[in-house]
Amino acid sequence: MKAHGANVFEIARERNIDVLEISDFSSNINPLGASKKTLNYIKDNLNLLFTYPDPEYVELRKSIATYNKANEDDIVLGLGATEILKSSVGYYSPKNSMILSPCYSEYEEELKKINSNIFHFNLKYEDKFKIHVDEIISYIKDNDINLFVFANPNNPTGTALKRHEIEKILKETDVKLIVDETYTEFCDQEVFSSGSLTKKYDNLLVTRGTSKFFSLPGIRLGYGITSDRALIKSFKDKETLWQINSVADMCGQVMFSDIDYHREVFNFIKTRRDYLFKELGKINGLEPIESMGNFILVKIHSNISSTALREKLSQELMIVRDCKTFKGLDDSYFRVCILTDKENEKLIKNLKDIFN
């Protein structure tokens, strides 16, 4: 069974401690928790759990469309963004596909299942893992790429393409694009989100979830945005009745319109990301990579490996992401996400003790 981040429940059982005692810097989930307005709405409408959800999810689709400046008819729903990704890769079944390296491993795993010829566009440490759009376009053309799948910002590097750069790819190539916007809400969405481009380009699919920014991994709500009618039909043909449960439906109707919550989370993550980046850069032997996500990739310039570092920090009940399993990285990289001020400060103190 695959896991995302650490299994903190297993760690808590092994050490006979409360799971809340563990600071999980590997999971990338917004530490402020879910929107209070959303949670209160659930509490006030528990009676709706005694009825079936709307099988068309009209209000949920409307809420998602408004939030993403997209058309309601272009919204498809799924059990997390990963389900949308899996279904769309299978639908496209590209002969030649392209992913970034390093990137989220799920893309390559799904492409392997359909025997796609996978090309890795390598992001370079020497260039701080920046993504250059003109190089991407040339690579797509030179290798006859049919499908390009990437996260924006990219996981684990945190580097990103702006909306106008993504549109340039769509204008200058015939490639199908799957843009995983799991972390885009931690950026300036007016600059980086490509959801609105689906109105103009039917070779674009944007996937999003509610686990990271909205801090609700338990409701398993994901969605995709595309104007490709054939792709939408393929999703509908596979749908089961009441695929999205009532709690996820209700949460979605409220949280996407909670503007104050969106602003609070964005500002919190941005200021704390800036703090962590600055403090990590002060530690001898560590080099943080500038990130647009709610996480930071860190290069180790010393004789301690990321695996050894992870073990040392775990003794202090702090879990970081060892990045040696990412293609293109090795055991000199680890990744941390932004948690509460107290936890962030504790992480910096322990890293200083280890490296200084």
Side-chain angles (χ1 to χ4, degrees):
M1 182 176 64
K2 295 174 187 172
H4 292 220
N7 185 342
V8 291
F9 295 99
E10 182 180 356
I11 295 170
R13 285 193 296 269
E14 289 174 352
R15 303 192 184 183
N16 194 28
I17 59 174
D18 190 309
V19 70
L20 297 179
E21 296 180 49
I22 301 170
S23 296
D24 185 5
F25 285 92
S26 72
S27 64
N28 297 343
I29 296 174
N30 155 31
L32 296 184
S35 149
K36 291 182 176 60
K37 184 183 291 186
T38 301
L39 297 180
N40 288 333
Y41 181 77
I42 297 295
K43 293 175 187 176
D44 295 340
N45 290 276
L46 289 175
N47 60 304
L48 293 178
L49 297 180
F50 298 106
T51 64
Y52 287 106
D54 171 9
E56 300 298 324
Y57 301 102
V58 173
E59 294 304 317
L60 175 58
R61 292 177 190 276
K62 185 183 298 182
S63 180
I64 292 172
T66 301
Y67 177 61
N68 289 275
K69 299 180 181 178
N71 294 322
E72 288 178 41
D73 292 341
D74 294 344
I75 306 297
V76 294
L77 304 174
L79 296 173
T82 301
E83 184 190 12
I84 306 294
L85 170 72
K86 289 182 177 181
S87 296
S88 56
V89 168
Y91 168 80
Y92 286 128
S93 294
K95 177 184 177 183
N96 296 328
S97 57
M98 172 176 148
I99 57 177
L100 301 178
S101 180
C103 74
Y104 180 45
S105 62
E106 197 78 37
Y107 310 145
E108 183 169 10
E109 290 171 12
E110 291 304 313
L111 290 165
K112 283 181 178 177
K113 290 178 184 177
I114 58 169
N115 297 314
S116 180
N117 185 22
I118 304 170
F119 290 78
H120 295 86
F121 185 89
N122 297 313
L123 303 179
K124 301 178 179 64
Y125 158 72
E126 294 76 16
D127 200 20
K128 301 299 181 275
F129 300 102
K130 287 184 173 61
I131 311 170
H132 298 289
V133 67
D134 290 331
E135 293 178 8
I136 290 283
I137 291 171
S138 295
Y139 197 90
I140 288 171
K141 291 179 176 178
D142 292 345
N143 295 284
D144 193 24
I145 302 298
N146 310 118
L147 176 67
F148 176 27
V149 187
F150 68 104
N152 200 50
N154 183 47
N155 176 20
T157 64
T159 45
L161 287 173
K162 295 179 179 178
R163 180 195 295 126
H164 72 86
E165 294 176 310
I166 292 173
E167 184 167 21
K168 186 174 184 181
I169 297 173
L170 292 164
K171 280 182 176 179
E172 297 188 16
T173 73
D174 296 323
V175 73
K176 304 286 187 182
L177 276 188
I178 299 178
V179 184
D180 178 355
E181 292 198 351
T182 296
Y183 301 105
T184 303
E185 283 142 323
F186 296 107
C187 305
D188 181 350
Q189 294 197 74
E190 292 300 317
V191 176
F192 291 93
S193 176
S194 54
S196 61
L197 293 178
T198 57
K199 293 179 179 179
K200 296 170 62 177
Y201 303 94
D202 64 4
N203 54 329
L204 169 65
L205 169 66
V206 175
T207 66
R208 281 193 169 194
T210 53
S211 298
K212 305 302 186 182
F213 184 83
F214 290 99
S215 197
L216 283 172
I219 67 173
R220 304 313 308 136
L221 174 62
Y223 60 93
I225 313 169
T226 183
S227 56
D228 183 335
R229 306 331 295 176
L231 176 56
I232 291 173
K233 183 179 183 303
S234 77
F235 278 113
K236 291 189 176 297
D237 289 345
K238 295 176 184 176
E239 281 181 358
T240 57
L241 190 60
W242 301 303
Q243 184 174 7
I244 306 302
N245 68 59
S246 295
V247 174
D249 186 11
M250 288 190 283
C251 284
Q253 290 180 41
V254 179
M255 66 185 176
F256 293 117
S257 61
D258 191 348
I259 305 301
D260 290 338
Y261 172 78
H262 303 165
R263 188 178 297 116
E264 178 189 10
V265 174
F266 175 82
N267 289 335
F268 177 89
I269 294 297
K270 184 180 186 305
T271 55
R272 275 59 177 188
R273 182 178 63 211
D274 291 345
Y275 162 80
L276 271 183
F277 182 82
K278 180 180 178 182
E279 293 302 312
L280 286 165
K282 293 178 182 178
I283 299 173
N284 292 331
L286 294 184
E287 178 189 0
I289 305 299
E290 190 171 0
S291 171
M292 298 303 297
N294 65 326
F295 53 85
I296 299 174
L297 179 68
V298 185
K299 170 77 170 172
I300 303 172
H301 294 285
S302 78
N303 58 3
I304 184 171
S305 70
S306 57
T307 305
L309 175 63
R310 185 182 188 279
E311 182 58 31
K312 282 177 179 289
L313 290 172
S314 72
Q315 299 305 312
E316 303 298 326
L317 302 183
M318 291 179 289
I319 310 299
V320 299
R321 180 67 156 88
D322 181 349
C323 290
K324 67 181 180 183
T325 56
F326 284 97
K327 190 183 292 289
L329 299 183
D330 55 26
D331 63 1
S332 67
Y333 291 92
F334 68 98
R335 190 195 67 197
V336 295
C337 67
I338 285 78
L339 294 184
T340 64
D341 288 343
K342 182 178 179 180
E343 290 171 302
N344 294 337
E345 289 165 7
K346 182 182 175 184
L347 173 69
I348 292 299
K349 179 184 181 302
N350 276 269
L351 286 172
K352 285 180 178 178
D353 289 343
I354 292 169
F355 286 93
N356 291 343

